[in-house]
């Protein structure tokens, strides 16, 4: 009975430690515009399927395990363990103006938003290389 009472007393403290998505957004180190600039790139191709395949390849090349990939919605969710914890990355593709495809990435490390530009730069560099290799039929 004493253990049950102790567990019940600790329950409100555990709930207070959780952070909801609204708190995560408000607690971001960057402004929304700055974060969007870090995490969004436009690629000069209208072939969304090729960009989608290249994004899958880029995430796998970076050591991520793809959890979900939806070609219709143009979304990819991936996870990687290591370097201090769990990293989750979500990539969204959409058609842009003219012959452009817009790629936007977001990430979390241990439940906190990634605001450092380095992981996004690595992803977009790897994605650019994958698109180059695809365009030049290099396997």
């Amino acid at each position: 009975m004493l253990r049950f009472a102790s567990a019940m007393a600790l329950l409100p403290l555990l709930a207070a430690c959780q952070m909801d998505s609204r708190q995560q957004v408000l607690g971001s180190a960057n402004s929304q515009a700055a974060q969007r600039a870090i995490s969004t790139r436009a690629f000069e191709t209208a072939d969304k399927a090729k960009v989608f395949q290249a994004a899958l390849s880029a995430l796998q090349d970076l050591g991520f395990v793809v959890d979900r990939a939806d070609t219709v919605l143009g979304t990819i969710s991936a996870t990687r363990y290591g370097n201090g914890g769990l990293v989750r990355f979500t990539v969204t593709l959409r058609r842009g103006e003219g012959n452009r495809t817009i790629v936007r990435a977001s990430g979390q490390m241990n439940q906190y938003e990634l605001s450092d530009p380095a992981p996004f730069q690595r992803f977009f560099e790897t994605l650019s290389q994958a698109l180059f290799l695809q365009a030049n039929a290099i396997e």
Side-chain angles (χ1 to χ4, degrees):
M1 187 67 171
L2 183 60
R3 285 186 183 175
F4 179 74
S6 299
M8 293 307 287
L10 291 175
L11 194 57
L13 294 174
L14 291 174
C17 293
Q18 282 188 319
M19 182 182 288
D20 67 13
S21 59
R22 197 169 113 199
Q23 289 172 317
Q24 289 176 359
V25 169
L26 295 175
S28 175
N30 295 327
S31 71
Q32 287 183 349
Q35 188 65 29
R36 192 169 35 254
I38 290 168
S39 63
T40 307
R41 297 289 183 279
F43 293 91
E44 296 295 329
T45 179
D47 193 343
K48 188 176 157 185
K50 283 188 178 181
V51 178
F52 188 87
Q53 189 60 45
L56 280 172
S57 298
L59 287 167
Q60 291 171 338
D61 288 348
L62 292 169
F64 284 88
V65 174
V66 175
D67 302 318
R68 291 187 192 115
D70 188 326
T71 56
V72 175
L73 294 176
T75 59
I76 304 167
S77 297
T79 307
R80 182 179 72 195
Y81 298 96
N83 289 352
L86 176 72
V87 178
R88 295 179 192 267
F89 225 66
T90 302
V91 177
T92 306
L93 291 84
R94 64 179 171 83
R95 291 241 331 141
E97 294 180 19
N99 287 333
R100 293 179 135 196
T101 299
I102 309 298
V103 178
R104 184 157 186 196
S106 63
Q108 289 182 326
M109 178 177 230
N110 297 330
Q111 301 290 326
Y112 294 99
E113 178 188 22
L114 283 176
S115 55
D116 180 18
F120 297 101
Q121 289 171 347
R122 278 192 299 277
F123 168 71
F124 286 119
E125 286 171 3
T126 306
L127 176 56
S128 295
Q129 291 171 358
L131 285 168
F132 174 81
L133 294 174
Q134 244 182 20
N136 292 295
I138 300 171
E139 292 291 324

